Amino acid sequence: MLEAAALIDVPAAVNFAKGQFQNWMEFNLRISPDYAVVVYSVGIRHGGQAEWEYVWKKAKETKVASETEVMMSSLAHSQEPWLLWRYIRWSLDTGKIRMQDVRNLFSYFAVTPLGRSVALQFMLTEWDEINKRFGMDAYLLRDIIYATTSLINTDFEYKQLERLYRENPPAGFASKAAENSLALVRSNIYWMKLNHDTIYEWLKKNAGTDSEGGINRN
């Protein structure tokens, strides 16, 4: 419940998580494992470079794999595009991100709208290097493609992907993953055309109002 509330910026949930994060960062007070996912992600989402660098440092220091994964995933919740861009570029730097962790990294970026946008732009601009570096492991390249493209739902982005795959096809049998990703994007686009306006109008009609009489965006 806390995670869901924080995700839609319910003030009490966000303030609780931010307080827990600050106590951890400033006084090294232990965060309950039950709250760790939401506390780290809220701390990163509502923080800046200092919070990001602190979590990155702790992720590298901890010897507990589950803690490392939670911290690494939370780093993709940043709302600072340059931090996200630097983070995903580290997928090409084995000194920062181990090869066996690249799959997870791309899945972390798939969680938030900004993360998905950054991941897609990274794939579009660095495709030659991604294809060359990860093409030796077709399963890894397949998972990168899926994590980055599975929620795309616009004609413009579809055409970008189609051109990308046509001009530089994925290595090995990952080409099948590219075909599947295009099919999924077409399905997403079709779904949006059928349902977007109806859902938008329903939400607009049924949205609550805040204390000042405006639409409650939550």
Side-chain angles (χ1 to χ4, degrees), residues 36-93:
V37 172
V38 64
V39 168
Y40 292 140
S41 62
V42 168
I44 292 296
R45 187 165 72 246
H46 291 271
Q49 183 178 2
E51 289 78 9
W52 201 99
E53 300 286 2
Y54 186 79
V55 175
W56 170 259
K57 177 175 177 289
K58 287 295 186 180
K60 290 301 181 181
E61 290 176 351
T62 183
K63 303 301 182 183
V64 181
S66 59
E67 290 184 2
T68 299
E69 184 172 358
V70 170
M71 292 180 189
M72 296 287 281
S73 66
S74 73
L75 293 172
H77 284 256
S78 175
Q79 294 301 293
E80 296 285 350
W82 76 271
L83 283 173
L84 291 176
W85 186 258
R86 184 183 68 173
Y87 190 27
I88 202 164
R89 278 197 61 83
W90 284 351
S91 65
L92 302 176
D93 181 353

Short mmCIF file of all heavy atoms in Angstrom, two decimals, residues 36-93:
data_model
loop_
_atom_site.label_atom_id
_atom_site.label_comp_id
_atom_site.label_asym_id
_atom_site.label_seq_id
_atom_site.Cartn_x
_atom_site.Cartn_y
_atom_site.Cartn_z
N ALA A 36 12.12 -1.03 2.17
CA ALA A 36 13.32 -0.64 1.44
C ALA A 36 13.05 -0.22 0.00
O ALA A 36 13.55 0.82 -0.45
CB ALA A 36 14.32 -1.80 1.46
N VAL A 37 12.24 -0.98 -0.71
CA VAL A 37 12.00 -0.68 -2.13
C VAL A 37 11.42 0.72 -2.29
O VAL A 37 11.91 1.52 -3.10
CB VAL A 37 11.05 -1.73 -2.75
CG1 VAL A 37 10.64 -1.30 -4.16
CG2 VAL A 37 11.71 -3.09 -2.80
N VAL A 38 10.38 1.03 -1.53
CA VAL A 38 9.73 2.32 -1.69
C VAL A 38 10.58 3.46 -1.13
O VAL A 38 10.62 4.55 -1.71
CB VAL A 38 8.32 2.31 -1.05
CG1 VAL A 38 8.40 2.09 0.45
CG2 VAL A 38 7.58 3.60 -1.35
N VAL A 39 11.30 3.22 -0.04
CA VAL A 39 12.12 4.29 0.55
C VAL A 39 13.25 4.68 -0.39
O VAL A 39 13.49 5.87 -0.63
CB VAL A 39 12.67 3.84 1.92
CG1 VAL A 39 13.75 4.83 2.41
CG2 VAL A 39 11.55 3.77 2.95
N TYR A 40 13.95 3.71 -0.94
CA TYR A 40 15.04 4.03 -1.86
C TYR A 40 14.52 4.72 -3.12
O TYR A 40 15.08 5.73 -3.57
CB TYR A 40 15.79 2.76 -2.27
CG TYR A 40 16.57 2.10 -1.15
CD1 TYR A 40 16.61 0.72 -1.02
CD2 TYR A 40 17.28 2.86 -0.22
CE1 TYR A 40 17.32 0.10 -0.01
CE2 TYR A 40 17.99 2.26 0.81
CZ TYR A 40 18.01 0.88 0.91
OH TYR A 40 18.71 0.26 1.92
N SER A 41 13.44 4.20 -3.69
CA SER A 41 12.93 4.77 -4.94
C SER A 41 12.40 6.18 -4.73
O SER A 41 12.63 7.06 -5.57
CB SER A 41 11.85 3.87 -5.54
OG SER A 41 10.74 3.75 -4.68
N VAL A 42 11.71 6.43 -3.61
CA VAL A 42 11.22 7.78 -3.34
C VAL A 42 12.38 8.73 -3.06
O VAL A 42 12.40 9.87 -3.54
CB VAL A 42 10.24 7.77 -2.15
CG1 VAL A 42 9.95 9.20 -1.66
CG2 VAL A 42 8.93 7.10 -2.54
N GLY A 43 13.37 8.25 -2.30
CA GLY A 43 14.53 9.09 -2.02
C GLY A 43 15.25 9.52 -3.29
O GLY A 43 15.67 10.67 -3.42
N ILE A 44 15.36 8.60 -4.24
CA ILE A 44 16.00 8.92 -5.51
C ILE A 44 15.10 9.81 -6.36
O ILE A 44 15.56 10.80 -6.96
CB ILE A 44 16.35 7.62 -6.27
CG1 ILE A 44 17.46 6.85 -5.55
CG2 ILE A 44 16.75 7.94 -7.71
CD1 ILE A 44 18.79 7.58 -5.49
N ARG A 45 13.82 9.48 -6.44
CA ARG A 45 12.90 10.23 -7.29
C ARG A 45 12.77 11.68 -6.86
O ARG A 45 12.67 12.59 -7.70
CB ARG A 45 11.53 9.55 -7.30
CG ARG A 45 10.55 10.19 -8.31
CD ARG A 45 9.35 9.31 -8.57
NE ARG A 45 8.42 9.27 -7.45
CZ ARG A 45 8.17 8.20 -6.73
NH1 ARG A 45 8.79 7.05 -6.99
NH2 ARG A 45 7.29 8.23 -5.74
N HIS A 46 12.77 11.91 -5.55
CA HIS A 46 12.61 13.27 -5.03
C HIS A 46 13.94 13.92 -4.64
O HIS A 46 13.94 15.02 -4.11
CB HIS A 46 11.66 13.26 -3.83
CG HIS A 46 10.25 12.93 -4.21
ND1 HIS A 46 9.33 13.90 -4.58
CD2 HIS A 46 9.59 11.74 -4.31
CE1 HIS A 46 8.18 13.32 -4.86
NE2 HIS A 46 8.31 12.01 -4.71
N GLY A 47 15.02 13.23 -4.92
CA GLY A 47 16.34 13.77 -4.60
C GLY A 47 17.08 14.22 -5.84
O GLY A 47 16.52 14.32 -6.93
N GLY A 48 18.36 14.45 -5.65
CA GLY A 48 19.20 14.89 -6.76
C GLY A 48 20.47 14.07 -6.85
O GLY A 48 20.48 12.89 -6.50
N GLN A 49 21.54 14.71 -7.27
CA GLN A 49 22.79 13.98 -7.47
C GLN A 49 23.34 13.40 -6.17
O GLN A 49 23.84 12.28 -6.15
CB GLN A 49 23.83 14.89 -8.11
CG GLN A 49 25.14 14.18 -8.42
CD GLN A 49 26.15 15.07 -9.11
OE1 GLN A 49 25.91 16.27 -9.33
NE2 GLN A 49 27.31 14.52 -9.45
N ALA A 50 23.25 14.18 -5.07
CA ALA A 50 23.82 13.71 -3.80
C ALA A 50 23.17 12.42 -3.36
O ALA A 50 23.86 11.46 -2.95
CB ALA A 50 23.65 14.79 -2.72
N GLU A 51 21.83 12.34 -3.45
CA GLU A 51 21.12 11.12 -3.06
C GLU A 51 21.47 9.97 -4.00
O GLU A 51 21.66 8.83 -3.55
CB GLU A 51 19.61 11.37 -3.07
CG GLU A 51 19.10 12.26 -1.95
CD GLU A 51 19.36 13.75 -2.18
OE1 GLU A 51 19.79 14.12 -3.30
OE2 GLU A 51 19.14 14.55 -1.26
N TRP A 52 21.56 10.27 -5.28
CA TRP A 52 21.88 9.24 -6.26
C TRP A 52 23.26 8.65 -6.00
O TRP A 52 23.43 7.43 -5.97
CB TRP A 52 21.81 9.82 -7.67
CG TRP A 52 21.63 8.81 -8.75
CD1 TRP A 52 20.47 8.46 -9.38
CD2 TRP A 52 22.66 7.98 -9.34
NE1 TRP A 52 20.70 7.47 -10.31
CE2 TRP A 52 22.03 7.16 -10.31
CE3 TRP A 52 24.03 7.85 -9.13
CZ2 TRP A 52 22.74 6.23 -11.07
CZ3 TRP A 52 24.73 6.91 -9.88
CH2 TRP A 52 24.10 6.12 -10.84
N GLU A 53 24.23 9.53 -5.81
CA GLU A 53 25.60 9.06 -5.59
C GLU A 53 25.72 8.26 -4.30
O GLU A 53 26.48 7.28 -4.23
CB GLU A 53 26.56 10.26 -5.54
CG GLU A 53 26.60 11.11 -6.78
CD GLU A 53 27.34 10.46 -7.95
OE1 GLU A 53 27.80 9.31 -7.79
OE2 GLU A 53 27.44 11.10 -9.01
N TYR A 54 24.95 8.63 -3.29
CA TYR A 54 25.00 7.92 -2.02
C TYR A 54 24.48 6.49 -2.17
O TYR A 54 25.08 5.54 -1.68
CB TYR A 54 24.19 8.66 -0.96
CG TYR A 54 24.30 8.07 0.43
CD1 TYR A 54 25.42 8.31 1.22
CD2 TYR A 54 23.30 7.25 0.94
CE1 TYR A 54 25.54 7.76 2.49
CE2 TYR A 54 23.41 6.69 2.21
CZ TYR A 54 24.53 6.95 2.98
OH TYR A 54 24.65 6.39 4.23
N VAL A 55 23.36 6.35 -2.85
CA VAL A 55 22.79 5.02 -3.05
C VAL A 55 23.71 4.17 -3.92
O VAL A 55 23.90 2.97 -3.67
CB VAL A 55 21.37 5.11 -3.66
CG1 VAL A 55 20.84 3.72 -4.00
CG2 VAL A 55 20.42 5.81 -2.70
N TRP A 56 24.28 4.77 -4.96
CA TRP A 56 25.21 4.04 -5.81
C TRP A 56 26.39 3.51 -4.98
O TRP A 56 26.79 2.35 -5.10
CB TRP A 56 25.72 4.94 -6.93
CG TRP A 56 26.86 4.37 -7.71
CD1 TRP A 56 28.18 4.67 -7.58
CD2 TRP A 56 26.80 3.36 -8.73
NE1 TRP A 56 28.94 3.94 -8.45
CE2 TRP A 56 28.12 3.12 -9.17
CE3 TRP A 56 25.76 2.63 -9.31
CZ2 TRP A 56 28.42 2.20 -10.17
CZ3 TRP A 56 26.06 1.70 -10.30
CH2 TRP A 56 27.37 1.49 -10.72
N LYS A 57 26.93 4.36 -4.11
CA LYS A 57 28.06 3.98 -3.26
C LYS A 57 27.67 2.82 -2.34
O LYS A 57 28.42 1.85 -2.20
CB LYS A 57 28.50 5.19 -2.43
CG LYS A 57 29.62 4.92 -1.43
CD LYS A 57 30.05 6.24 -0.78
CE LYS A 57 31.11 6.00 0.29
NZ LYS A 57 30.56 5.33 1.49
N LYS A 58 26.49 2.91 -1.72
CA LYS A 58 26.03 1.86 -0.82
C LYS A 58 25.77 0.56 -1.57
O LYS A 58 26.02 -0.54 -1.06
CB LYS A 58 24.77 2.31 -0.09
CG LYS A 58 25.01 3.37 0.97
CD LYS A 58 25.86 2.82 2.11
CE LYS A 58 26.01 3.80 3.24
NZ LYS A 58 26.84 3.25 4.35
N ALA A 59 25.26 0.67 -2.79
CA ALA A 59 24.99 -0.52 -3.59
C ALA A 59 26.28 -1.28 -3.89
O ALA A 59 26.29 -2.52 -3.95
CB ALA A 59 24.28 -0.14 -4.89
N LYS A 60 27.35 -0.54 -4.08
CA LYS A 60 28.63 -1.16 -4.39
C LYS A 60 29.30 -1.73 -3.13
O LYS A 60 30.11 -2.65 -3.23
CB LYS A 60 29.56 -0.15 -5.06
CG LYS A 60 29.14 0.22 -6.47
CD LYS A 60 29.11 -1.01 -7.36
CE LYS A 60 28.71 -0.72 -8.78
NZ LYS A 60 28.67 -1.95 -9.61
N GLU A 61 28.96 -1.17 -1.99
CA GLU A 61 29.60 -1.61 -0.74
C GLU A 61 28.94 -2.83 -0.12
O GLU A 61 29.61 -3.65 0.51
CB GLU A 61 29.59 -0.46 0.27
CG GLU A 61 30.50 0.70 -0.08
CD GLU A 61 30.38 1.85 0.91
OE1 GLU A 61 29.46 1.81 1.76
OE2 GLU A 61 31.21 2.77 0.81
N THR A 62 27.63 -2.95 -0.25
CA THR A 62 26.92 -4.03 0.44
C THR A 62 27.29 -5.39 -0.12
O THR A 62 27.54 -5.54 -1.32
CB THR A 62 25.39 -3.83 0.37
OG1 THR A 62 24.75 -4.88 1.11
CG2 THR A 62 24.91 -3.89 -1.07
N LYS A 63 27.31 -6.37 0.76
CA LYS A 63 27.64 -7.74 0.36
C LYS A 63 26.38 -8.59 0.20
O LYS A 63 26.46 -9.77 -0.14
CB LYS A 63 28.55 -8.38 1.40
CG LYS A 63 29.85 -7.62 1.65
CD LYS A 63 30.68 -7.48 0.39
CE LYS A 63 32.00 -6.76 0.70
NZ LYS A 63 32.81 -6.55 -0.53
N VAL A 64 25.21 -7.99 0.44
CA VAL A 64 23.94 -8.71 0.36
C VAL A 64 23.34 -8.48 -1.03
O VAL A 64 22.98 -7.35 -1.38
CB VAL A 64 22.96 -8.27 1.45
CG1 VAL A 64 21.65 -9.05 1.35
CG2 VAL A 64 23.59 -8.44 2.83
N ALA A 65 23.24 -9.53 -1.82
CA ALA A 65 22.80 -9.40 -3.22
C ALA A 65 21.43 -8.77 -3.34
O ALA A 65 21.19 -7.94 -4.23
CB ALA A 65 22.83 -10.76 -3.89
N SER A 66 20.50 -9.14 -2.46
CA SER A 66 19.14 -8.60 -2.55
C SER A 66 19.12 -7.10 -2.29
O SER A 66 18.37 -6.35 -2.92
CB SER A 66 18.22 -9.32 -1.57
OG SER A 66 18.68 -9.18 -0.24
N GLU A 67 19.95 -6.63 -1.35
CA GLU A 67 20.04 -5.20 -1.07
C GLU A 67 20.63 -4.46 -2.26
O GLU A 67 20.17 -3.36 -2.62
CB GLU A 67 20.87 -4.95 0.18
CG GLU A 67 20.23 -5.39 1.49
CD GLU A 67 21.07 -5.03 2.70
OE1 GLU A 67 22.13 -4.39 2.52
OE2 GLU A 67 20.67 -5.38 3.81
N THR A 68 21.65 -5.04 -2.85
CA THR A 68 22.26 -4.42 -4.02
C THR A 68 21.24 -4.25 -5.13
O THR A 68 21.15 -3.18 -5.75
CB THR A 68 23.43 -5.28 -4.54
OG1 THR A 68 24.43 -5.40 -3.54
CG2 THR A 68 24.03 -4.67 -5.80
N GLU A 69 20.44 -5.27 -5.38
CA GLU A 69 19.46 -5.21 -6.45
C GLU A 69 18.41 -4.14 -6.19
O GLU A 69 18.03 -3.39 -7.10
CB GLU A 69 18.79 -6.56 -6.65
CG GLU A 69 17.81 -6.57 -7.82
CD GLU A 69 17.30 -7.95 -8.14
OE1 GLU A 69 17.71 -8.92 -7.49
OE2 GLU A 69 16.47 -8.05 -9.06
N VAL A 70 17.94 -4.05 -4.95
CA VAL A 70 16.94 -3.03 -4.61
C VAL A 70 17.50 -1.64 -4.83
O VAL A 70 16.85 -0.75 -5.38
CB VAL A 70 16.45 -3.20 -3.16
CG1 VAL A 70 15.60 -2.01 -2.73
CG2 VAL A 70 15.65 -4.48 -3.01
N MET A 71 18.73 -1.42 -4.39
CA MET A 71 19.35 -0.11 -4.55
C MET A 71 19.60 0.21 -6.02
O MET A 71 19.33 1.33 -6.48
CB MET A 71 20.67 -0.05 -3.78
CG MET A 71 20.52 -0.09 -2.28
SD MET A 71 22.14 -0.02 -1.44
CE MET A 71 21.64 -0.35 0.25
N MET A 72 20.11 -0.76 -6.77
CA MET A 72 20.38 -0.53 -8.18
C MET A 72 19.10 -0.23 -8.95
O MET A 72 19.09 0.62 -9.85
CB MET A 72 21.08 -1.75 -8.78
CG MET A 72 22.45 -2.05 -8.19
SD MET A 72 23.74 -0.91 -8.70
CE MET A 72 24.11 -1.54 -10.34
N SER A 73 18.03 -0.91 -8.60
CA SER A 73 16.76 -0.64 -9.28
C SER A 73 16.22 0.74 -8.93
O SER A 73 15.66 1.43 -9.79
CB SER A 73 15.72 -1.72 -8.93
OG SER A 73 15.37 -1.66 -7.57
N SER A 74 16.41 1.16 -7.69
CA SER A 74 15.90 2.47 -7.27
C SER A 74 16.59 3.61 -8.02
O SER A 74 15.98 4.66 -8.26
CB SER A 74 16.08 2.66 -5.76
OG SER A 74 17.44 2.89 -5.42
N LEU A 75 17.83 3.40 -8.42
CA LEU A 75 18.58 4.46 -9.12
C LEU A 75 17.93 4.84 -10.44
O LEU A 75 18.10 5.96 -10.92
CB LEU A 75 20.02 4.00 -9.35
CG LEU A 75 20.88 3.84 -8.09
CD1 LEU A 75 22.22 3.19 -8.44
CD2 LEU A 75 21.09 5.18 -7.40
N ALA A 76 17.17 3.94 -11.03
CA ALA A 76 16.49 4.22 -12.30
C ALA A 76 15.22 5.05 -12.10
O ALA A 76 14.56 5.40 -13.07
CB ALA A 76 16.16 2.93 -13.02
N HIS A 77 14.88 5.38 -10.84
CA HIS A 77 13.71 6.20 -10.56
C HIS A 77 14.03 7.69 -10.56
O HIS A 77 13.13 8.51 -10.34
CB HIS A 77 13.10 5.80 -9.21
CG HIS A 77 12.34 4.53 -9.24
ND1 HIS A 77 10.96 4.47 -9.25
CD2 HIS A 77 12.76 3.23 -9.30
CE1 HIS A 77 10.57 3.21 -9.29
NE2 HIS A 77 11.64 2.44 -9.32
N SER A 78 15.27 8.04 -10.79
CA SER A 78 15.65 9.46 -10.82
C SER A 78 14.84 10.21 -11.86
O SER A 78 14.49 9.67 -12.91
CB SER A 78 17.14 9.60 -11.13
OG SER A 78 17.49 10.96 -11.27
N GLN A 79 14.54 11.47 -11.55
CA GLN A 79 13.87 12.33 -12.51
C GLN A 79 14.84 13.33 -13.14
O GLN A 79 14.41 14.31 -13.76
CB GLN A 79 12.71 13.07 -11.82
CG GLN A 79 11.59 12.15 -11.35
CD GLN A 79 10.99 11.36 -12.50
OE1 GLN A 79 10.36 11.93 -13.38
NE2 GLN A 79 11.19 10.04 -12.49
N GLU A 80 16.13 13.07 -12.96
CA GLU A 80 17.18 13.87 -13.60
C GLU A 80 17.66 13.13 -14.84
O GLU A 80 18.35 12.13 -14.74
CB GLU A 80 18.35 14.08 -12.63
CG GLU A 80 18.01 14.86 -11.38
CD GLU A 80 17.87 16.35 -11.65
OE1 GLU A 80 18.22 16.79 -12.78
OE2 GLU A 80 17.42 17.07 -10.75
N PRO A 81 17.27 13.61 -16.04
CA PRO A 81 17.63 12.88 -17.26
C PRO A 81 19.12 12.60 -17.39
O PRO A 81 19.51 11.52 -17.86
CB PRO A 81 17.13 13.80 -18.37
CG PRO A 81 15.98 14.54 -17.75
CD PRO A 81 16.41 14.78 -16.33
N TRP A 82 19.96 13.54 -16.97
CA TRP A 82 21.40 13.32 -17.15
C TRP A 82 21.91 12.19 -16.26
O TRP A 82 22.82 11.45 -16.66
CB TRP A 82 22.19 14.61 -16.91
CG TRP A 82 22.36 15.01 -15.48
CD1 TRP A 82 21.52 15.79 -14.75
CD2 TRP A 82 23.45 14.65 -14.62
NE1 TRP A 82 22.01 15.94 -13.46
CE2 TRP A 82 23.19 15.27 -13.36
CE3 TRP A 82 24.60 13.89 -14.77
CZ2 TRP A 82 24.06 15.13 -12.27
CZ3 TRP A 82 25.46 13.75 -13.68
CH2 TRP A 82 25.19 14.36 -12.46
N LEU A 83 21.33 12.05 -15.08
CA LEU A 83 21.72 10.94 -14.21
C LEU A 83 21.30 9.60 -14.81
O LEU A 83 22.05 8.62 -14.77
CB LEU A 83 21.10 11.11 -12.82
CG LEU A 83 21.74 12.14 -11.89
CD1 LEU A 83 20.91 12.31 -10.62
CD2 LEU A 83 23.17 11.74 -11.54
N LEU A 84 20.09 9.58 -15.37
CA LEU A 84 19.62 8.36 -16.01
C LEU A 84 20.47 8.02 -17.23
O LEU A 84 20.79 6.85 -17.47
CB LEU A 84 18.15 8.51 -16.41
CG LEU A 84 17.14 8.57 -15.27
CD1 LEU A 84 15.74 8.81 -15.81
CD2 LEU A 84 17.17 7.27 -14.46
N TRP A 85 20.80 9.04 -18.00
CA TRP A 85 21.60 8.80 -19.20
C TRP A 85 22.98 8.26 -18.83
O TRP A 85 23.47 7.30 -19.44
CB TRP A 85 21.74 10.09 -20.00
CG TRP A 85 22.42 9.89 -21.33
CD1 TRP A 85 23.71 10.18 -21.63
CD2 TRP A 85 21.85 9.32 -22.51
NE1 TRP A 85 23.99 9.84 -22.93
CE2 TRP A 85 22.86 9.32 -23.49
CE3 TRP A 85 20.59 8.84 -22.83
CZ2 TRP A 85 22.65 8.83 -24.78
CZ3 TRP A 85 20.37 8.35 -24.11
CH2 TRP A 85 21.40 8.36 -25.07
N ARG A 86 23.59 8.85 -17.81
CA ARG A 86 24.89 8.35 -17.35
C ARG A 86 24.77 6.91 -16.86
O ARG A 86 25.62 6.06 -17.17
CB ARG A 86 25.42 9.23 -16.23
CG ARG A 86 26.82 8.84 -15.77
CD ARG A 86 27.29 9.68 -14.61
NE ARG A 86 26.52 9.42 -13.38
CZ ARG A 86 26.84 9.95 -12.19
NH1 ARG A 86 27.88 10.77 -12.10
NH2 ARG A 86 26.11 9.68 -11.13
N TYR A 87 23.71 6.64 -16.13
CA TYR A 87 23.51 5.31 -15.54
C TYR A 87 23.38 4.25 -16.63
O TYR A 87 24.03 3.20 -16.58
CB TYR A 87 22.27 5.33 -14.66
CG TYR A 87 22.04 4.12 -13.80
CD1 TYR A 87 23.08 3.31 -13.37
CD2 TYR A 87 20.75 3.78 -13.38
CE1 TYR A 87 22.87 2.21 -12.56
CE2 TYR A 87 20.51 2.68 -12.57
CZ TYR A 87 21.57 1.90 -12.17
OH TYR A 87 21.34 0.80 -11.36
N ILE A 88 22.56 4.52 -17.63
CA ILE A 88 22.36 3.50 -18.66
C ILE A 88 23.58 3.37 -19.57
O ILE A 88 23.85 2.30 -20.11
CB ILE A 88 21.07 3.76 -19.47
CG1 ILE A 88 20.60 2.45 -20.12
CG2 ILE A 88 21.27 4.86 -20.51
CD1 ILE A 88 19.19 2.48 -20.62
N ARG A 89 24.33 4.45 -19.71
CA ARG A 89 25.58 4.35 -20.49
C ARG A 89 26.58 3.43 -19.79
O ARG A 89 27.43 2.84 -20.46
CB ARG A 89 26.20 5.73 -20.69
CG ARG A 89 25.60 6.52 -21.85
CD ARG A 89 26.50 7.68 -22.25
NE ARG A 89 27.81 7.20 -22.69
CZ ARG A 89 28.06 6.75 -23.93
NH1 ARG A 89 27.10 6.72 -24.84
NH2 ARG A 89 29.28 6.35 -24.25
N TRP A 90 26.46 3.33 -18.49
CA TRP A 90 27.37 2.44 -17.76
C TRP A 90 27.14 0.97 -18.12
O TRP A 90 27.94 0.11 -17.76
CB TRP A 90 27.20 2.65 -16.25
CG TRP A 90 27.85 3.92 -15.76
CD1 TRP A 90 28.67 4.75 -16.48
CD2 TRP A 90 27.72 4.51 -14.47
NE1 TRP A 90 29.06 5.82 -15.71
CE2 TRP A 90 28.50 5.70 -14.47
CE3 TRP A 90 27.03 4.16 -13.31
CZ2 TRP A 90 28.61 6.52 -13.35
CZ3 TRP A 90 27.14 4.98 -12.20
CH2 TRP A 90 27.91 6.14 -12.22
N SER A 91 26.05 0.67 -18.81
CA SER A 91 25.84 -0.70 -19.28
C SER A 91 26.95 -1.12 -20.25
O SER A 91 27.17 -2.32 -20.46
CB SER A 91 24.48 -0.83 -19.97
OG SER A 91 24.43 -0.04 -21.15
N LEU A 92 27.63 -0.14 -20.83
CA LEU A 92 28.72 -0.41 -21.76
C LEU A 92 30.08 -0.38 -21.07
O LEU A 92 31.11 -0.51 -21.73
CB LEU A 92 28.70 0.61 -22.90
CG LEU A 92 27.41 0.69 -23.72
CD1 LEU A 92 27.50 1.80 -24.76
CD2 LEU A 92 27.11 -0.65 -24.38
N ASP A 93 30.08 -0.18 -19.76
CA ASP A 93 31.31 -0.08 -18.98
C ASP A 93 31.31 -1.18 -17.93
O ASP A 93 30.65 -1.07 -16.90
CB ASP A 93 31.39 1.30 -18.32
CG ASP A 93 32.67 1.50 -17.51
OD1 ASP A 93 33.45 0.54 -17.35
OD2 ASP A 93 32.88 2.64 -17.03
#
